[in-house]
Amino acid sequence: MKEDSYDFQEFLEDYTETSSDKEIRIINAAINIFSEKGFESTRTREIAERAGVAEGTIFRYFPTKDAILERMVPLLIRVMMPRISEPIDRIIRAHEADSVEDIWFDILIDRIKMIRDNGRFIKSVLPELIHRAPLLHQFQTSILPMIEQYIEKIVEYGKARGELDSALSSRLVMQQMLGFILSYSMFGGSEKRNTEHDIREFLQYAMKGWSGSCKP
Amino acid sequence: MKEDSYDFQEFLEDYTETSSDKEIRIINAAINIFSEKGFESTRTREIAERAGVAEGTIFRYFPTKDAILERMVPLLIRVMMPRISEPIDRIIRAHEADSVEDIWFDILIDRIKMIRDNGRFIKSVLPELIHRAPLLHQFQTSILPMIEQYIEKIVEYGKARGELDSALSSRLVMQQMLGFILSYSMFGGSEKRNTEHDIREFLQYAMKGWSGSCKP
DNA sequence: ATAATGAGTGAGTGGTCACTCATTTTTCAA
DNA sequence: TTGAAAAATGAGTGACCACTCACTCATTAT
């Protein structure tokens, strides 16, 4: 039942514009407890205790308990955005050097690492969005189109290099990539597997299917 | 905010051994409200109202509110089990007739249909398992090995027919299949897409990658 | 030295909610 | 028809919890 606490302190300082130490301590505590027991089962008293502040202090920074969660969503978006755009931008920089397979390898490694590193943060926010349509919508409309757009870029790049079938739709590729990341993070990653090997294996079969030419 | 109610009445009568009409009406109401607002935000009063019974009646059949959820998990397992085993058994019956691709097509069609048909049921139970390790474990240990075992069977069958690469691991196939179903149900299925076409498209590329021989 | 400020506090409050139980209604065997 | 047991009821209850507010006190301004 008892899990260790993770410290997002420094991390949060980079992503919030607040200078208040207390506010960050409150969010930090909330992330940890939400991820353990979920939003509804978490008591504001508990957040205060773990943050080392008085319960009243929470309500100086957040009008309601709900507001803590609402504040986390844009924060999660801000954390994920650069983790999505940076690797793709790396590709554009090293444009002609790499094969599409190598590009995807780097992206998948990075994405699975991100989910592991920020697992607690993601687990504290995402499950609560299921029954909160406005927050879910906020999240989806800022993250999904961005991913879509970047995947499209890579697919076009791969087609231009002749590495991908010209009829291949980027929607299908996105589906496959999201699917792999999802199922790997949910089921595959729990055991001590060799992630790099698993990704290579997945990509070799996927690329063979997606390639225009046939190299057996 | 307001969603229609679905009636699992008949459906539940097949899967519970209870003969009590009231108990089924309570579970039916609980499924609907849990799926709309989540377990913690649901009031027992509300369940009673929608079930058309008094609040006290709930506690004649369930010692606590938690027990309603706990009762749902084996129920969900019982619903999913035959939906997983039946299509595979169909394959074994029509053993030499179909190609692996056609078999998988039927399975994916069936699985995505199942998620759509039982979406409300699944949505009412699964999100609550995230922070309830014992229930999650109960669910995982009864569903996952079964899927694993059946996928393995099909992969062996495909290898024997020479349709699949002999080095292909069934773990990878399961990951891909789960991934497709997950991401399709979460993101792809919301728009009015042609599901059969999408599945065919996915399978054609996947099979091309997984095949031992090379037929361009 | 004194006053003003406001972040911080935590006991208190009003409302909510899961669960109880005394009472009423239904069931059904004799 | 009757009466005893079982089922159903819903007002009541105590515990709990998000949020409030009167007060403290360190810091800054005068």
Side-chain angles (χ1 to χ4, degrees):
Chain A
M1 191 62 60
K2 181 71 177 69
E3 294 176 51
D4 296 334
S5 285
Y6 282 81
D7 198 356
F8 295 97
Q9 203 94 356
E10 272 186 70
F11 168 87
L12 287 172
E13 276 159 20
D14 295 340
Y15 284 96
T16 40
E17 51 279 331
T18 335
S19 51
S20 163
D21 167 61
K22 297 253 155 106
E23 187 176 350
I24 288 173
R25 291 235 301 281
I26 291 166
I27 295 177
N28 194 22
I31 291 172
N32 275 289
I33 312 181
F34 288 174
S35 75
E36 283 164 26
K37 340 202 306 182
F39 175 80
E40 298 285 354
S41 305
T42 299
R43 309 294 149 224
T44 48
R45 168 115 54 94
E46 242 181 315
I47 299 174
E49 269 167 21
R50 206 179 296 193
V53 301
E55 208 178 343
T57 309
I58 291 176
F59 295 95
R60 174 164 292 282
Y61 291 102
F62 303 91
T64 60
K65 185 186 162 193
D66 268 72
I68 304 176
L69 190 66
E70 279 154 24
R71 184 99 165 63
M72 282 182 181
V73 173
L75 211 56
L76 186 62
I77 292 172
R78 289 180 75 170
V79 171
M80 293 183 78
M81 281 297 202
R83 299 308 233 102
I84 291 168
S85 59
E86 268 162 26
I88 318 283
D89 292 339
R90 199 198 317 140
I91 294 156
I92 292 163
R93 257 181 271 121
H95 200 275
E96 54 248 298
D98 300 327
S99 75
V100 179
E101 187 174 336
D102 288 336
I103 290 165
W104 268 326
F105 180 77
D106 282 357
I107 292 175
L108 287 176
I109 286 279
D110 184 83
R111 215 45 22 104
I112 285 170
K113 187 179 179 313
M114 188 203 86
I115 290 178
R116 289 215 180 125
D117 291 348
N118 303 299
R120 193 167 285 254
F121 194 10
I122 293 170
K123 198 181 169 191
S124 67
V125 175
L126 289 191
E128 307 305 332
L129 303 188
I130 295 170
H131 299 110
R132 288 161 193 265
L135 287 185
L136 181 63
H137 186 255
Q138 198 185 125
F139 186 78
Q140 282 183 330
T141 51
S142 45
I143 295 289
L144 277 187
M146 193 189 187
I147 298 174
E148 217 159 3
Q149 177 201 322
Y150 275 122
I151 295 254
E152 197 155 347
K153 244 185 213 169
I154 305 177
V155 170
E156 288 311 315
Y157 174 76
K159 283 180 182 174
R161 283 177 58 111
E163 289 179 43
L164 296 176
D165 181 31
S166 59
L168 185 67
S169 81
S170 62
R171 198 191 45 73
L172 179 86
V173 175
M174 181 168 89
Q175 210 161 57
Q176 288 260 64
M177 289 294 177
L178 281 180
F180 178 79
I181 293 169
L182 275 177
S183 68
Y184 198 82
S185 304
M186 288 170 80
F187 309 113
S190 55
E191 303 136 69
K192 42 194 181 306
R193 298 195 56 80
N194 183 337
T195 305
E196 299 204 3
H197 173 270
D198 288 347
I199 292 175
R200 274 274 174 241
E201 192 190 15
F202 160 70
L203 274 178
Q204 266 155 21
Y205 280 109
M207 283 300 295
K208 191 174 156 218
W210 296 341
S211 65
S213 62
C214 188
K215 291 166 269 175
Chain B
M1 191 61 59
K2 181 70 176 68
E3 296 176 50
D4 296 334
S5 285
Y6 281 82
D7 197 355
F8 295 97
Q9 202 94 357
E10 270 186 71
F11 168 86
L12 287 171
E13 276 159 20
D14 295 341
Y15 285 96
T16 39
E17 51 279 331
T18 335
S19 50
S20 164
D21 167 60
K22 296 251 157 106
E23 186 176 351
I24 288 172
R25 291 233 302 280
I26 291 165
I27 295 176
N28 194 23
I31 291 172
N32 276 289
I33 313 182
F34 289 174
S35 75
E36 283 163 27
K37 337 201 307 183
F39 175 80
E40 297 286 354
S41 305
T42 299
R43 311 293 149 226
T44 48
R45 168 114 54 93
E46 243 182 314
I47 298 174
E49 269 166 22
R50 205 180 295 194
V53 300
E55 208 178 342
T57 308
I58 290 176
F59 295 93
R60 169 165 297 281
Y61 292 101
F62 303 91
T64 60
K65 184 187 162 193
D66 268 73
I68 303 175
L69 189 66
E70 278 153 25
R71 185 98 165 62
M72 282 182 182
V73 173
L75 211 56
L76 186 61
I77 292 171
R78 288 181 77 169
V79 170
M80 291 183 79
M81 281 296 201
R83 301 305 235 102
I84 291 167
S85 59
E86 268 162 26
I88 318 284
D89 293 338
R90 199 197 318 139
I91 294 156
I92 292 162
R93 257 181 271 121
H95 199 275
E96 53 247 297
D98 300 327
S99 74
V100 179
E101 187 174 337
D102 289 336
I103 290 165
W104 268 325
F105 180 77
D106 282 357
I107 292 175
L108 287 176
I109 285 279
D110 184 82
R111 214 46 22 103
I112 285 170
K113 187 179 176 315
M114 188 204 86
I115 291 178
R116 290 214 179 124
D117 291 349
N118 303 299
R120 192 167 286 254
F121 194 10
I122 293 169
K123 198 180 169 191
S124 67
V125 175
L126 290 192
E128 307 304 332
L129 303 188
I130 295 171
H131 299 110
R132 289 161 192 267
L135 288 184
L136 180 63
H137 185 254
Q138 198 184 122
F139 186 78
Q140 282 183 332
T141 51
S142 44
I143 294 289
L144 277 186
M146 193 190 188
I147 298 176
E148 217 158 3
Q149 179 200 322
Y150 275 122
I151 295 252
E152 198 155 347
K153 242 184 214 169
I154 304 177
V155 169
E156 288 311 315
Y157 175 74
K159 283 179 182 174
R161 282 176 58 110
E163 291 178 41
L164 295 177
D165 181 31
S166 59
L168 185 67
S169 81
S170 63
R171 198 191 43 74
L172 179 85
V173 175
M174 181 169 88
Q175 210 161 57
Q176 287 260 64
M177 289 294 176
L178 281 180
F180 178 78
I181 293 168
L182 275 177
S183 66
Y184 198 82
S185 304
M186 289 169 81
F187 310 112
S190 55
E191 303 137 71
K192 42 195 180 308
R193 300 195 53 81
N194 183 337
T195 305
E196 299 204 3
H197 173 269
D198 288 346
I199 293 176
R200 274 274 174 240
E201 191 190 16
F202 161 69
L203 275 178
Q204 266 155 21
Y205 280 109
M207 283 300 295
K208 192 174 156 218
W210 296 342
S211 66
S213 61
C214 189
K215 291 167 269 174

